[in-house]
């Protein structure tokens, strides 16, 4: 084998090695691109999850606010019911007093009628 043949063999091996390296670089570039795409996709997913977490926090704050309003409304309702029951009790007492007064008036009216009958009988005709 001559020097020229050896050089050609070495040169061909070198070219083959360079082609392999080039192919590996191409594969690595593709893998890097795929990794970049995954990274971008993951970043979008993380951003969407972060937005969802913020929405959940806002929704939870709104829920707590509504619950506070509901508790306040329930308290107001209880106070109104208490006042209403007090008024009803007062009305019952007044109705009892009116019934007693009406009975007294009926008794007096009966007495007046009896007095009028006696006066009518005692007057000469």
């Amino acid at each position: 084998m001559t020097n020229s043949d050896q050089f050609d063999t070495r040169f061909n091996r070198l070219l083959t090695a360079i082609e392999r390296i080039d192919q590996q670089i191409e594969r690595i570039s593709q893998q890097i691109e795929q990794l970049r795409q995954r990274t971008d996709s993951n970043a979008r997913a993380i951003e969407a999850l972060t937005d969802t977490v913020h929405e959940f926090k806002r929704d939870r704050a709104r829920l707590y606010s509504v619950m506070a309003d509901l508790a306040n409304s329930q308290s107001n309702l209880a106070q109104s019911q208490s006042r209403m029951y007090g008024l009803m009790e007062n009305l019952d007492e007044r109705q009892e007093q009116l019934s007693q007064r009406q009975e007294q008036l009926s008794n007096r009216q009966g007495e007046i009628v009896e007095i009028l009958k006696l006066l009518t009988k005692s007057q000469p005709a």
Side-chain angles (χ1 to χ4, degrees):
M1 206 187 246
T2 65
N3 279 342
S4 176
D5 290 338
Q6 287 178 351
F7 177 77
D8 286 342
T9 303
R10 286 183 187 163
F11 184 73
N12 286 335
R13 285 184 192 162
L14 184 59
L15 282 177
T16 303
I18 289 173
E19 287 175 2
R20 285 185 192 150
I21 291 171
D22 190 43
Q23 290 172 353
Q24 288 176 350
I25 288 173
E26 181 63 30
R27 271 185 259 140
I28 291 171
S29 294
Q30 290 173 355
Q31 290 173 348
I32 288 173
E33 178 60 25
Q34 289 173 350
L35 183 60
R36 186 194 62 76
Q37 290 173 356
R38 286 182 187 164
T39 302
D40 290 347
S41 175
N42 287 345
R44 286 189 299 272
I46 290 170
E47 185 177 344
L49 288 173
T50 301
D51 291 344
T52 301
V53 167
H54 289 304
E55 287 176 23
F56 284 155
K57 286 180 180 179
R58 281 192 305 267
D59 290 346
R60 184 178 55 196
R62 285 186 208 129
L63 177 63
Y64 289 153
S65 175
V66 168
M67 289 170 63
D69 291 344
L70 176 61
N72 190 32
S73 295
Q74 287 173 328
S75 173
N76 290 341
L77 175 63
Q79 289 174 355
S80 296
Q81 284 178 325
S82 176
R83 276 184 253 133
M84 183 186 71
Y85 293 141
L87 290 173
M88 289 173 68
E89 183 180 359
N90 192 10
L91 285 174
D92 285 344
E93 289 173 7
R94 286 184 178 188
Q95 188 174 10
E96 180 65 31
Q97 289 172 356
L98 284 174
S99 293
Q100 289 173 358
R101 286 182 185 171
Q102 186 177 8
E103 187 177 331
Q104 289 172 354
L105 285 173
S106 291
N107 290 341
R108 286 185 183 172
Q109 188 178 19
E111 291 172 1
I112 291 173
V113 168
E114 290 299 319
I115 291 172
L116 285 174
K117 282 181 186 178
L118 289 173
L119 285 175
T120 325
K121 285 183 184 177
S122 65
Q123 285 184 352

